[in-house]
Amino acid sequence: LLFVRPAGDLTQLEPVLEAITAIRAMGRELTPRPGLRVRITGDRAVHSEEMSLVVGEVTMSASLSLILVTLILLVCLQSFRLLIATVATLLVGLTWTAGLAGLTVGHLNALTSAFAVIYIGLAVDFGIHLGLGYLEQRRYGKAPPLALRVTSKKTGNSLFLCALTTAIGFYAFIPTSYTAVADMGIISGTGVLLGLLATLTLYPALIALGLGGSTGAPKPALPRLEIRLPTYPIRHPRAVCGVAGAVTLACGVLLAWVRFDINPMHVRDPRVESVQALKDLLHDDERSAWTIEVLTQDLDEAREVAASLEALEGVHHVN
C-alpha cells in the first residue's frame, strides 16, 4: 500500500484528478507480471472520481428532462410561441436558482447537483397552469391582455399556495446537521419560489410581447388527452375509503421490515474504480481500511482494552 497526498488546492477536483491520472500513467509503464494490478482509492480519490462523473451525468439528466418537458409542452400547449415563452421562463428561473446557490451555498455536491432536474419538474407546473388557463380564456374570445388578467385572478392564489407548501417541504431539510441535505433544502425551496416569481412576472410579459400564440382562434389544448376523473369514488365512496384504509394499514405493517443502512459505502457509485478498490480492501480482514487506534496509559491497560475490543462482534483482530 502506497500512501500518496496530491499537491495543490485539495478543495478542487483538478489537482486530485491530475494526480490520479499521473499515477495511472506510471502504473501502465510498469513491467507486466502475474497478479500485478495498480488501483487507486481513498476518500479524496472516491470523492473526486464520483464528482467528475456526477457533473457529466447531472448535465445529461437535466438536458434530458428539459427535452422531455419541452415535448410534453408542445403537445399540451399546441402553440410554438407559447412554448418558447414557457421554456424561456423555465430557463430564466433555473438561472436565478443557480445564482442563488452560488450566493448562499457557494458550492454543489453529489446531492445538491440534482437541483436542476428537481426545478425543471416542479417549476414547469406554474407555466402549464398559467398557459392552459390563458388558452382557455382565449377560446372564450377574450383579447390577450384580458385573458392574462382573468387567468392570473383564477390561478394566482392556487399557484402561490402550491409554491409555498412545496418550498416549506424543502425548507424542512435546513435544520438537519447533514450539510448536503440542508443545502438541498435551501436551493430547491427557494428555487420553487423563484420559479413562481418568474412565472408571474416574466411569463406574462413574454406573452404580451407576442409569444402568446396566434391572434386568431387558438386551437383547443389537449383535445385528445383530456383526462376525466373516475365516477366510482362518488358512486361507491365507502368501498373506495375501505380499500384505501386497508392498503394503508398493510403498508404500515410492512414498515417493520424497513431498516436503516448505516454503511456509507452502499451509497457510493459501484462503477468507480476507487470505490471498487476500497470495497476489496474492506473485505480483506488483514488490510481493512476500517481501523481504530487507541492510546492507553500503560501496557496493562492496553491488554485490558485489547481484550474488551476482541470480545466485540464487529472486531476481527486487535494488534
Side-chain angles (χ1 to χ4, degrees), residues 34 42 54 68 81 126 145 149 169 172 177 181 190 218 221 229 235 258 268 275 281 292 298:
V54 165
L68 294 177
R81 282 187 282 180
F126 304 141
R149 287 195 293 270
S177 57
V181 175
T190 310
L229 292 176
R235 292 183 286 109
V258 176
R268 298 293 190 181
V275 175
L281 283 177
I292 61 172
D298 51 43

Side-chain angles (χ1 to χ4, degrees), residues 175-252:
T176 180
S177 57
Y178 187 30
T179 305
V181 175
D183 291 345
M184 174 61 79
I186 296 173
I187 297 172
S188 297
T190 310
V192 170
L193 298 179
L194 291 176
L196 176 65
L197 177 63
T199 302
L200 296 180
T201 56
L202 178 63
Y203 195 42
L206 292 175
I207 293 177
L209 290 176
L211 292 181
S214 174
T215 56
K219 297 179 180 179
L222 293 178
R224 292 171 296 178
L225 297 177
E226 184 176 353
I227 299 176
R228 298 179 182 273
L229 292 176
T231 58
Y232 62 84
I234 301 175
R235 292 183 286 109
H236 308 286
R238 290 187 176 85
V240 172
C241 292
V243 172
V247 173
T248 303
L249 180 62
C251 292

Side-chain angles (χ1 to χ4, degrees), residues 294-305:
V294 181
L295 298 178
T296 61
Q297 296 293 333
D298 51 43
L299 186 57
D300 292 335
E301 184 182 356
R303 292 192 180 99
E304 294 177 0
V305 173

